Amino acid sequence: MNITVYGSGYVGLVTAACLAQMGNSVYCMDVDEARVARLRKGEVPIRERGLDEIVAQGLRSGALQFGSDVAGAVAHGVVQFVAVGTPAGADGAADLKYVLNVARGIGDHLQDYRVVVNKSTVPVGTVDTVREVIAERLAARNVTQDFDVVSNPEFLKEGSAVEDFMKPDRIIIGCESARGTALMEQLYAPFNRKNDRVLLMDPRSAELTKYAANAMLATKISVMNEFANIAERLGADIEWVRRGIGSDPRIGYHFIYPGAGYGGSCFPKDVSALAHIAERAGYPTEILRAVESVNARQKRRLVERIQAHFGDTLAGRTIALWGLAFKPGTDDMREAASRVIMEALWAAGARVQAHDPAAMEETRRIYGERDDLVLSDNPWAATEAADALVLITEWNIYRSPDLARLKQRLRSPVIFDGRNVYDPAVMAAEGFTYYAIGRPVVGDTARGR
């Protein structure tokens, strides 16, 4: 099948490369000509496991092409995936300007039947909006041409997006046309052989499903962080609580790990957008707004504990950070807890020495060169003569450090664990003062003042 994908960002590039892997002829269109030039050379601007390889394979085989020709993109694919960004506006609503630009381009050049697929995360009702925009552009050309618009939301996790696309746990197709549905089922047949993962529904339900899924996961994280903060005040250990509730099959263990708050490109944006959609429809979203509030507060929790430990001022202190990306497996720092923590430390006069296996260049891009930020080549360099270590992202490289070496390098043996990676008993035995999330503090909490 001939496929067009608009957008070579995270969702668009993964979608294009994976569809090309299955023998489709894919034209990936982007208005950024410099980005297109890089992609044609096989330079993948996104850190995602396995993506470099399948992009290279697609280029070698000719199944995957990149370009900036709108007319050619519309002519190429019988299925036209819209996978452009929908950034949050100032009020939290999703901005559809890029989606609607694509719709206008399709309407300006459409000559044969096409299925236009909204892959981007878009507000409920966007299928109708895209259909109207295309129809208006066709009318302006005095052209009558059948087309369908479908909602097919993505459920890709950063760090495992290629695997998620190739082995989906569900394929949601929101379509009201038998012809469009048949083409979508044909396209996804290679991904749907062992079990029927296709869920057919109306477009508005498909659009809401995407938001609801991310909002549900974000809610679990914020509720668990709320429990952790309660546990701290009651002298309980959230790790035992987590195991106790996770063993209930109605709850399960997924997404009930307390920490420094969620980040990334999806959860913060989608929770805010869904709340905005609901409120515009006349429904106040008390739970969703509380999820946002708890998450924002949780990102500041480690800084509050650092300030409480060291007393009145952090001026002149050096704090080591392990982990900058919002989660392991990516270099994405959008809405990352590390950004809130670093900026608060700088505001308090502290100096930061940081390491991350993937996000160092992204950190440089965001913050540039500054005297109070040292990006260290390895985890140990970041800890040299630091007053404390803060673990923010639970990369495997940080899970089993040589504690004797770590204690020797730190100016004071203090660890603030934002992901509850370490065992408090081991930390106490090794002579560390150890702060975790929702767990009793061990060691000398006055040390370093």
Side-chain angles (χ1 to χ4, degrees):
M1 194 179 292
N2 287 348
I3 307 295
T4 294
V5 178
Y6 297 94
S8 64
Y10 186 82
V11 174
L13 188 54
V14 171
T15 299
C18 289
L19 289 173
Q21 276 283 292
M22 288 300 180
N24 300 292
S25 174
V26 181
Y27 183 91
C28 186
M29 185 270 175
D30 200 296
V31 295
D32 186 338
E33 294 185 358
R35 189 181 184 93
V36 167
R38 290 183 60 194
L39 287 165
R40 283 174 170 168
K41 298 175 185 177
E43 298 175 9
V44 176
I46 299 165
R47 182 186 175 96
E48 184 60 47
R49 187 171 65 246
L51 185 58
D52 290 34
E53 291 85 347
I54 63 172
V55 168
Q57 290 169 11
L59 289 170
R60 284 196 301 269
S61 69
L64 179 59
Q65 305 172 61
F66 296 97
S68 300
D69 178 10
V70 178
V74 177
H76 180 82
V78 66
V79 178
Q80 306 254 316
F81 281 94
V82 182
V84 293
T86 54
D91 60 356
D95 188 341
L96 290 178
K97 62 184 176 184
Y98 302 119
V99 172
L100 299 183
N101 283 342
V102 172
R104 293 184 191 103
I106 293 172
D108 287 343
H109 297 284
L110 191 64
Q111 297 183 20
D112 299 296
Y113 174 78
R114 294 290 183 262
V115 178
V116 180
V117 182
N118 281 346
K119 199 72 175 170
S120 303
T121 302
V122 293
V124 177
T126 301
V127 161
D128 297 332
T129 303
V130 168
R131 183 185 294 114
E132 291 167 2
V133 169
I134 295 174
E136 288 170 1
R137 305 298 272 212
L138 288 172
R141 295 167 52 208
N142 294 316
V143 171
T144 300
Q145 177 59 59
D146 289 339
F147 66 94
D148 284 307
V149 184
V150 175
S151 174
N152 173 221
E154 54 86 13
F155 297 95
L156 307 177
K157 300 185 294 293
E158 292 195 42
S160 61
V162 172
E163 183 178 1
D164 290 343
F165 195 102
M166 302 298 275
K167 298 177 181 178
D169 48 21
R170 77 277 210 199
I171 301 167
I172 291 179
I173 299 173
C175 184
E176 295 172 332
S177 155
R179 185 179 183 184
T181 298
L183 272 171
M184 293 298 291
E185 289 187 305
Q186 178 187 342
L187 176 63
Y188 278 115
F191 305 92
N192 193 40
R193 295 199 181 279
K194 292 185 178 179
N195 297 297
D196 188 4
R197 299 179 175 88
V198 172
L199 297 173
L200 300 176
M201 59 185 73
D202 63 277
R204 286 178 176 253
S205 296
E207 290 166 336
L208 180 55
T209 297
K210 169 61 177 181
Y211 280 115
N214 279 351
M216 179 65 78
L217 297 175
T219 300
K220 292 184 74 173
I221 294 170
S222 279
V223 167
M224 203 63 198
N225 283 331
E226 191 94 301
F227 292 162
N229 293 332
I230 294 170
E232 287 179 12
R233 287 155 178 80
L234 299 180
D237 188 332
I238 195 62
E239 177 62 15
W240 291 116
V241 176
R242 182 188 67 81
R243 295 182 189 183
I245 65 175
S247 59
D248 185 332
R250 297 171 299 175
I251 298 173
Y253 288 103
H254 293 296
F255 285 84
I256 62 167
Y257 289 86
Y262 61 78
S265 63
C266 294
F267 287 6
K269 177 172 69 73
D270 292 353
V271 171
S272 178
L274 180 55
H276 187 270
I277 291 166
E279 288 158 7
R280 286 189 62 185
Y283 182 79
T285 54
E286 297 175 20
I287 291 177
L288 295 181
R289 291 306 187 191
V291 167
E292 291 183 305
S293 176
V294 169
N295 191 59
R297 183 179 66 199
Q298 198 66 18
K299 290 180 180 180
R300 299 190 298 268
R301 182 68 185 125
L302 285 178
V303 176
E304 292 169 357
R305 304 195 84 175
I306 294 167
Q307 290 173 324
H309 177 85
F310 286 109
D312 295 335
T313 180
L314 291 176
R317 300 281 185 183
T318 297
I319 306 298
L321 265 61
W322 280 358
L324 296 165
F326 87 94
K327 73 171 192 176
T330 181
D331 61 355
D332 194 343
M333 289 181 65
R334 285 173 287 184
E335 304 287 338
S338 64
R339 298 179 65 170
V340 175
I341 292 167
M342 284 194 294
E343 289 164 15
L345 291 172
W346 291 330
R351 179 173 177 270
V352 172
Q353 296 177 172
H355 175 266
D356 187 283
M360 306 285 268
E361 286 304 317
E362 181 66 2
T363 306
R364 289 190 182 94
R365 185 190 70 79
I366 295 169
Y367 293 111
E369 299 294 330
R370 47 187 300 159
D371 294 338
D372 51 7
L373 173 63
V374 175
L375 295 175
S376 304
D377 293 335
N378 60 73
W380 296 112
T383 63
E384 180 64 33
D387 292 285
L389 167 65
V390 182
L391 175 66
I392 303 176
T393 314
E394 65 277 29
W395 289 92
N396 286 339
I397 194 173
Y398 306 139
R399 287 187 177 274
S400 300
D402 181 335
L403 295 178
R405 182 183 181 188
L406 179 59
K407 187 176 180 181
Q408 185 179 36
R409 295 183 71 86
L410 290 171
R411 183 175 290 139
S412 54
V414 184
I415 296 177
F416 297 87
D417 185 350
R419 300 298 173 186
N420 289 2
V421 169
Y422 304 128
D423 184 338
V426 173
M427 292 292 107
E430 294 290 336
F432 284 89
T433 297
Y434 178 70
Y435 296 85
I437 304 294
R439 312 192 76 178
V441 180
V442 299
D444 182 3
T445 59
R447 184 177 295 160
R449 292 191 182 181

